[in-house]
Amino acid sequence: MTTTDVPWITADTTDLHELEEARDRSWIARSDRGYEVLRYGPGLSVLEHPGLLKGPSFLKRLDDLGIVDGEIRRRWNQVVTTTEGDQRKRMRVPLAKLLRPMQISKLRDTVRGIVHDVLDEIGDPAEVDLLQALAWKIPSRVYCHLVSAPVELAPTIARLSDSVLGPLLTNDRGRRQEFVDTFWEGLDFVREHIDARRSNLGDDFTSAMIRQQLAGDLTEEELHAEALAILQASIDNTVHQTAIAFGKLLEEPSRWQDVVGDPARIPAATEEAIRLRPRFNTIFRLAAEDVEIDGFPIEAGSWVYVSVRASQRDPEVFDAPGTWRLDRPAVRPMMFGAGPYNCLGQHLARLEINEAVLAVARRFPGLRLTEDWTTRETNAITEVTRLRVALV
Ligand code: HEM
């Protein structure tokens, strides 16, 4: 195959049918913005290829939002998501230590307690906005626990995450000022919180980060960047994927009954929700040099977009790919990225979603939607906009 005879698709398309139709003709397509990779195997090859860089893709998001210079850009230029090489390693290794699976598995009881507290606070069980009353509350409270911040700050923390990640991921220029103001507010929060913690180190993430700085692994500014990265990355995405999991389970009542009847199936249900409705619809890279993927040449300077949506429904990898099934062989999702850039918080995100579903299944087995759940799709992400239920 050459670069001239691949299908052409709409850049920024949100139409799954268009993506799947192109995927069934070719694993790679072109669009006005670059290459579009539509199948699972080549998608992983792209995400893992050392010549295809993630840092520039995050910088592009900042450029697109109009964050191109000044102090705020200087600070963004040194965080894990925007950097490559040694600087990226310096920033990623301390985060990876905090978020490693062994550490996260110790949090199960805490997360379970947080979910039950959230459920205890729900008022009229006949009319519940599950997005606000549950999905938005869990990740911010878990964050407060991790960094040892008062739980009363959870709503503020949730806003600090949403007002930064929301505009950035949806490329919403109308929210640029909100992004800027919230960035500084978030930085002040982590700075004050870290300073207050210095004289009283414990076994929380903040103390561990301070120890990393004292050991010379991070500068003071990098410490703030690390703390802010956890705040921003840990909330929004988990909120929406939690809501998606409930939406997918409830839109077909027999799915909910399956997990109520056999809670051991919940992790498989979470994976199936991620596969069929990922929070991240596209992950992209920049070719730093001429590269070849499956013998196909991609020239230096090209943007390469991997469609999480199309590749997680690749019929070469998934039987009956559009069907909800809990007995699939384990295949790692594309949604958490791959290679040296993959999502460091994926174990925590899964823990939170699984515990949320488990607690609701045990306490409210009669859970049902009271109206259709709705989402807002962009090419980059899915946001849940409505998820109204009756718990009893
Ligand atoms: C369902 C929830 C989540 C989703 C959908 C998600 C998605 C992603 C994606 C797509 C990436 C980029 C991967 C790549 O480019 O290959 C990423 C990176 C990252 N995520 Fe997550 N994430 C989630 C939860 C979390 C949580 C809970 C945390 C922290 C506690 C977290 C921390 C990070 C960090 C630090 C990175 C940067 C890794 C790097 O650039 O080296 N994420 N995430």
Side-chain angles (χ1 to χ4, degrees):
M1 196 191 309
T2 68
T3 54
T4 48
D5 53 30
V6 299
W8 191 273
I9 64 171
T10 318
D12 270 326
T13 187
T14 54
D15 180 357
L16 180 61
H17 180 71
E18 179 178 8
L19 291 166
E20 292 198 305
E21 199 268 331
R23 180 203 60 208
D24 293 345
R25 286 189 285 141
S26 161
W27 64 266
I28 189 162
R30 298 212 60 159
S31 75
D32 281 339
R33 62 185 186 179
Y35 292 101
E36 310 274 346
V37 175
L38 304 167
R39 283 192 174 258
Y40 185 88
L44 270 191
S45 303
V46 165
L47 296 184
E48 289 175 347
H49 198 293
L52 295 169
L53 306 183
K54 168 180 174 178
S57 74
F58 216 86
L59 292 172
K60 182 175 188 312
R61 290 190 200 282
L62 291 161
D63 290 341
D64 290 348
L65 196 63
I67 309 294
V68 289
D69 53 19
E71 179 63 5
I72 188 166
R73 178 64 183 244
R74 187 186 72 75
R75 285 186 176 263
W76 272 100
N77 283 352
Q78 56 184 310
V79 303
V80 63
T81 42
T82 59
T83 44
E84 295 294 338
D86 285 349
Q87 175 63 12
R88 145 165 283 278
K89 211 164 157 189
R90 280 171 56 70
M91 298 302 290
R92 183 165 162 109
V93 168
L95 273 166
K97 279 189 188 152
L98 291 179
L99 294 164
R100 62 179 181 263
M102 270 284 286
Q103 288 293 112
I104 299 305
S105 61
K106 291 185 203 152
L107 293 170
R108 183 170 299 281
D109 288 347
T110 302
V111 172
R112 190 166 290 178
I114 288 172
V115 175
H116 281 286
D117 287 349
V118 167
L119 290 176
D120 289 343
E121 290 164 20
I122 290 179
D124 179 3
E127 263 183 60
V128 179
D129 176 347
L130 210 60
L131 182 59
Q132 295 302 330
L134 182 86
W136 268 107
K137 289 191 175 165
I138 297 169
S140 50
R141 292 195 190 187
V142 170
Y143 171 86
C144 287
H145 170 82
L146 290 178
V147 304
S148 204
V151 69
E152 296 70 43
L153 286 180
T156 305
I157 301 291
R159 178 178 57 76
L160 292 178
S161 169
D162 185 49
S163 291
V164 167
L165 266 203
L168 200 59
L169 295 179
T170 56
N171 188 19
D172 186 347
R173 280 228 172 201
R175 294 178 72 189
R176 181 183 180 281
Q177 196 54 45
E178 176 190 342
F179 171 93
V180 170
D181 295 344
T182 314
F183 175 81
W184 293 120
E185 194 185 341
L187 188 61
D188 284 347
F189 166 77
V190 297
R191 204 166 18 208
E192 281 165 25
H193 182 63
I194 286 169
D195 287 347
R197 205 82 196 107
R198 279 189 191 280
S199 56
N200 182 24
L201 295 186
D203 61 359
D204 57 280
F205 273 32
T206 308
S207 302
M209 289 189 277
I210 293 169
R211 287 196 189 95
Q212 290 170 347
Q213 186 217 351
L214 293 174
D217 296 339
L218 295 168
T219 66
E220 174 101 9
E221 245 183 41
E222 288 168 348
L223 168 65
H224 297 150
E226 183 190 21
L228 208 46
I230 296 183
L231 188 161
Q232 289 159 355
S234 69
I235 296 169
D236 263 45
N237 295 327
T238 315
V239 167
H240 289 286
Q241 195 65 54
T242 302
I244 288 170
F246 278 100
K248 289 304 290 176
L249 279 165
L250 297 176
E251 70 187 17
E252 181 50 67
S254 64
R255 293 179 190 163
W256 181 247
Q257 288 315 318
D258 276 353
V259 296
V260 167
D262 183 4
R265 306 186 94 185
I266 290 173
T270 299
E271 296 304 310
E272 195 63 344
I274 287 173
R275 189 181 72 78
L276 288 168
R277 286 302 285 277
R279 154 70 170 167
F280 265 84
N281 293 327
T282 308
I283 302 175
F284 66 110
R285 305 280 193 248
L286 179 69
E289 58 197 51
D290 290 346
V291 299
E292 275 195 10
I293 300 290
D294 279 11
F296 185 91
I298 292 179
E299 60 283 8
S302 308
W303 292 105
V304 186
Y305 293 80
V306 176
S307 172
V308 175
R309 290 175 85 193
S311 60
Q312 290 188 162
R313 290 168 181 249
D314 182 347
E316 276 182 10
V317 180
F318 305 98
D319 277 349
T323 308
W324 172 273
R325 274 181 39 186
L326 300 187
D327 59 350
R328 294 185 180 279
V331 174
R332 69 181 152 127
M334 194 73 73
M335 183 190 71
F336 289 115
Y341 309 108
N342 75 349
C343 173
L344 289 168
Q346 57 183 292
H347 310 292
L348 179 58
R350 287 188 173 98
L351 176 64
E352 291 182 36
I353 298 169
N354 290 338
E355 287 297 323
V357 175
L358 178 65
V360 179
R362 289 218 163 115
R363 286 177 61 170
F364 303 105
L367 178 72
R368 62 198 155 81
L369 289 173
T370 48
E371 59 183 42
D372 287 346
W373 68 293
T374 60
T375 58
R376 186 167 86 93
E377 304 284 339
T378 70
N379 182 268
I381 55 164
T382 294
E383 285 174 333
V384 176
T385 47
R386 265 178 104 75
L387 181 63
R388 304 194 73 90
V389 300
L391 290 174
V392 288

